[in-house]
Amino acid sequence: MKILVTGPSCSGKTAYVRSLPKNHKLIELDLYESAADVLALAQGSESLLFEGLPSGTDQQMADIVACMDLILVLDAPFAIRFQRMIDRDGPESLGRFLFNEFAWHRYLMPLFEGNPKARFVREEELPKDPFS
Amino acid sequence: MPNDLLETLLAQNRKTSARGNIDWLSVLGRCSESEETRDLLRQIPSAERRALLAETGRTVYREDLGNYRAELIYNTEPVVASGQLPAFAGQREDHAACLFAALSDFVDLADRASAEAHLAETRIDVAGQDHLAPFVGKRGIILLGVYQSHFGYALELLKTLGRIALIRKPLEGEGTEHIPAPLLEWQDSVELIPADAAGGIRLFQWLRRGGAVGLYNDFLYGDARPAKGMLFGRRVPISRTLLRLIQSTNSVVFPFAVARSFPLEGSDVQVRVFAPLSATVDPALANENALAIQISIATEALIRRHPVQWRLWNTLRVRWEAGASLEPS
C-alpha cells in the first residue's frame, strides 16, 4: 500500500508522519530532487509512506499521485499555518510561505480535488495508523 | 531630529520588543529589499499576489500576530476617540491589508522589464498635473508625499519633469558598496539621494537648478535640530533641513498622492498633484513657521485622503513623544 501525506506549508505533515509507527519506509519528498526518482519508487511494489509535495512536470506529478492508494491531504486554516511559519522560520520567510501557498492552490490542489483516493482531513481527524 | 531619538526609532524598526512584538512594517521593508523574496513573489501573478498579501495582512490583524492589532489600536485610538478620524476604528483591518499588499509594488516595480509590464496593465488616473506647469524648469519643485502607494505609479508624470531626485533613507554605513533599496533606481530619469548630509548638499544643488524632488514628509529624517510640526493635533518633529532647503532654493512644494484603489487586487491607482503650498509660491512668505504649518497640514491631509493606506500608523505615538520633547519646559 502506498500512502501520500500532503498539504500546504505548515499544515502538520511532517509532525504527523513522525508520530506514526515506524512500520513502513518513509519517503520525504523534499529530499528528492528528481521527480523521476520519486516516480520510480512510487511505481515499485513496496509498501511506502510518502510525505510532502509532489514536484516535477504536470504529468510527473499526476503520475506520482496516480500510484497512491490513499492520499491524506491535511487541511489546516491559513491563520494557524501562517503562525506556525512565523514561529518556525521567522516572519521574513513570508515570501517563501506565500509562494508555497500560491503553488499549492495553483498546481497541487487540482491533483487532489475530486480524486477518489484523496481524503481531506483536519489534524485532529488523522488516523493513528493509515495502513491499518 | 536628535540622533538618540533617531537611533531609538531605527532600533524599534529592527528588533522585536521584549513583549514579543513583530515590527511588520520593518519586516515588509526588509522583504521588499530581499532579492530572494522578490524572486519568489514575482512568480505569483500581480493581482493574485496582492490578494494573497492583503489576506495575510488581514490574518495578522485578526489574529493579532506579533501584537500588530494591539499596537495599531494603541497608536490610532487617540485619533479615533478624539473624533479626528472616527471611521478609522472600522478600517484598521483594511489598513493591515494595504500594508501587506504594498509589498507587491516593490516586486512589480523593482526592475525595468517588470515595471513596464506592470504599468501597462495598471489603470493610472492622474490629475492635478496642471499645477506643476507654471513652475517646471523655472523653480525647484518638491513633490511632498506620504508612505502610501509606490511613487513608481507616477512614473509617466515624473518623466514630464525631466530628471527627478527621490529621497531615500541612508543605508547603514552608507557607501558605494551598498545596493539601494528598490525605488526606481533602474529608471534613467530618477536619481536616488540619501537623506543625510551629503544628500542635503546634492538636493540643494538639484533644486537650485530647477530640478524636481520627490520625498516622503513622514519619513523620519535625522536632522540635528528638528522644527516643530503638527500631526493629528499634537506636536511632531519635522525636518528643519527640508524647510531650509525650501527657503534657500525658492522651491515650490506640491502635495502629491499615489494611492491604489480598492479592491487591492484591482488595477486602479490614483495619482494626484495638489495646489502648491502658498508659503512656497511667494518666497516672501516662506518663513520657517509658515512652512512648518503648511507642510504639516498638507501631510495630514494626504494621510486623511487615504487613511487605510498610510503605512506608518504604528509610528504615530513615537512621533508624538518626539514632538513633546521639542516643547519648551
Side-chain angles (χ1 to χ4, degrees):
Chain A
M1 187 176 187
K2 297 181 196 79
I3 297 176
L4 169 64
V5 177
T6 191
S9 287
C10 301
S11 55
K13 307 179 286 291
T14 306
Y16 172 61
V17 297
R18 287 181 183 172
S19 75
L20 294 175
K22 309 287 186 282
N23 300 336
H24 300 272
K25 188 174 175 185
L26 172 63
I27 307 295
E28 292 178 284
L29 297 179
D30 293 351
L31 304 180
Y32 285 80
E33 290 186 359
S34 161
D37 291 346
V38 174
L39 187 57
L41 282 167
Q43 287 171 335
S45 57
E46 205 177 346
S47 184
L48 292 171
L49 177 62
F50 292 82
E51 181 268 317
L53 308 177
S55 58
T57 64
D58 289 351
Q59 189 59 53
Q60 283 171 322
M61 289 196 294
D63 289 345
I64 291 169
V65 167
C67 293
M68 301 296 156
D69 300 296
L70 172 66
I71 302 159
L72 293 174
V73 185
L74 271 73
D75 194 11
F78 178 86
I80 289 173
R81 293 187 292 103
F82 185 62
Q83 190 147 15
R84 283 179 185 161
M85 180 280 292
I86 294 169
D87 294 341
R88 190 186 69 184
D89 304 324
E92 283 168 56
S93 299
L94 170 75
R96 180 162 297 283
F97 179 82
L98 293 182
F99 170 71
N100 289 341
E101 193 71 10
F102 166 76
W104 169 259
H105 287 284
R106 171 63 66 91
Y107 302 111
L108 292 162
M109 273 294 274
L111 295 173
F112 307 125
E113 283 175 326
N115 185 329
K117 295 178 196 169
R119 275 179 56 200
F120 289 79
V121 285
R122 290 183 297 192
E123 284 174 280
E124 60 271 26
E125 297 168 343
L126 283 164
K128 289 200 167 37
D129 183 356
F131 289 92
S132 62
Chain B
M1 183 177 298
N3 280 342
D4 57 347
L5 172 63
L6 181 68
E7 280 165 16
T8 304
L9 294 172
L10 289 174
Q12 190 200 36
N13 282 337
R14 263 189 221 122
K15 297 174 187 166
T16 56
S17 80
R19 288 181 295 155
N21 285 7
I22 296 172
D23 181 351
W24 284 106
L25 180 66
S26 296
V27 168
L28 293 165
R30 286 193 291 274
C31 285
S32 75
E33 293 170 10
S34 157
E35 206 165 318
E36 184 192 353
T37 300
R38 293 203 308 268
D39 285 346
L40 283 165
L41 291 176
R42 188 173 288 122
Q43 296 175 63
I44 309 174
S46 182
E48 285 177 70
R49 187 195 313 133
R50 286 195 299 279
L52 198 49
L53 281 162
E55 186 52 34
T56 306
R58 291 185 188 282
T59 300
V60 166
Y61 179 81
R62 287 182 204 135
E63 304 295 326
D64 197 17
L65 299 182
N67 293 338
Y68 180 74
R69 185 177 63 207
E71 287 287 319
L72 185 60
I73 291 172
Y74 173 70
N75 274 280
T76 57
E77 190 54 26
V79 297
V80 171
S82 63
Q84 294 183 81
L85 272 180
F88 196 73
Q91 297 174 330
R92 290 184 178 113
E93 188 178 312
D94 284 342
H95 160 72
C98 288
L99 179 72
F100 276 71
L103 172 59
S104 182
D105 296 340
F106 290 89
V107 176
D108 284 323
L109 300 168
D111 59 66
R112 184 187 306 276
S114 170
E116 284 176 356
H118 179 60
L119 293 174
E121 66 183 16
T122 305
R123 285 189 297 271
I124 301 171
D125 175 33
V126 182
Q129 62 270 51
D130 294 348
H131 292 300
L132 295 164
F135 303 98
V136 175
K138 297 177 184 136
R139 307 258 303 263
I141 287 175
I142 295 177
L143 297 174
L144 184 89
V146 294
Y147 273 77
Q148 288 172 335
S149 293
H150 199 291
F151 254 76
Y153 290 109
L155 203 52
E156 286 306 309
L157 170 68
L158 300 180
K159 282 181 188 171
T160 66
L161 303 176
R163 275 180 67 75
I164 183 160
L166 297 180
I167 313 300
R168 63 163 169 80
K169 66 179 178 184
L171 300 162
E172 202 171 332
E174 176 78 26
T176 52
E177 74 274 22
H178 291 276
I179 300 166
L183 188 71
L184 303 178
E185 73 268 22
W186 50 268
Q187 174 55 239
D188 297 335
S189 61
V190 170
E191 176 164 332
L192 293 175
I193 296 180
D196 59 11
I201 294 167
R202 182 86 185 100
L203 278 180
F204 175 81
Q205 296 164 336
W206 190 281
L207 289 167
R208 285 283 280 206
R209 288 203 309 264
V213 171
L215 58 83
Y216 293 115
N217 185 50
D218 49 1
F219 177 78
L220 295 162
Y221 292 92
D223 276 16
R225 292 178 59 233
K228 293 175 185 172
M230 296 289 287
L231 189 62
F232 292 103
R234 298 193 203 178
R235 188 80 74 195
V236 294
I238 65 171
S239 169
R240 174 167 270 133
T241 303
L242 172 62
L243 305 186
R244 294 273 164 82
L245 267 174
I246 295 166
Q247 289 172 314
S248 59
T249 61
N250 286 337
S251 296
V252 188
V253 177
F254 299 83
F256 177 69
V258 182
R260 178 173 286 285
S261 304
F262 275 79
L264 296 173
E265 61 270 32
S267 304
D268 294 303
V269 175
Q270 274 189 13
V271 174
R272 293 286 182 271
V273 181
F274 299 96
L277 303 186
S278 59
T280 64
V281 175
D282 180 354
L285 302 177
N287 63 68
E288 185 174 301
N289 284 343
L291 289 174
I293 289 168
Q294 291 196 5
I295 286 174
S296 294
I297 292 170
T299 302
E300 185 170 321
L302 289 170
I303 295 168
R304 282 172 175 276
R305 286 191 83 243
H306 302 282
V308 298
Q309 302 233 7
W310 191 45
R311 286 185 267 152
L312 304 185
W313 278 114
N314 273 359
T315 66
L316 185 59
R317 291 266 193 178
V318 175
R319 288 162 193 271
W320 282 345
E321 286 162 20
S325 69
L326 299 173
E327 298 284 8
S329 55

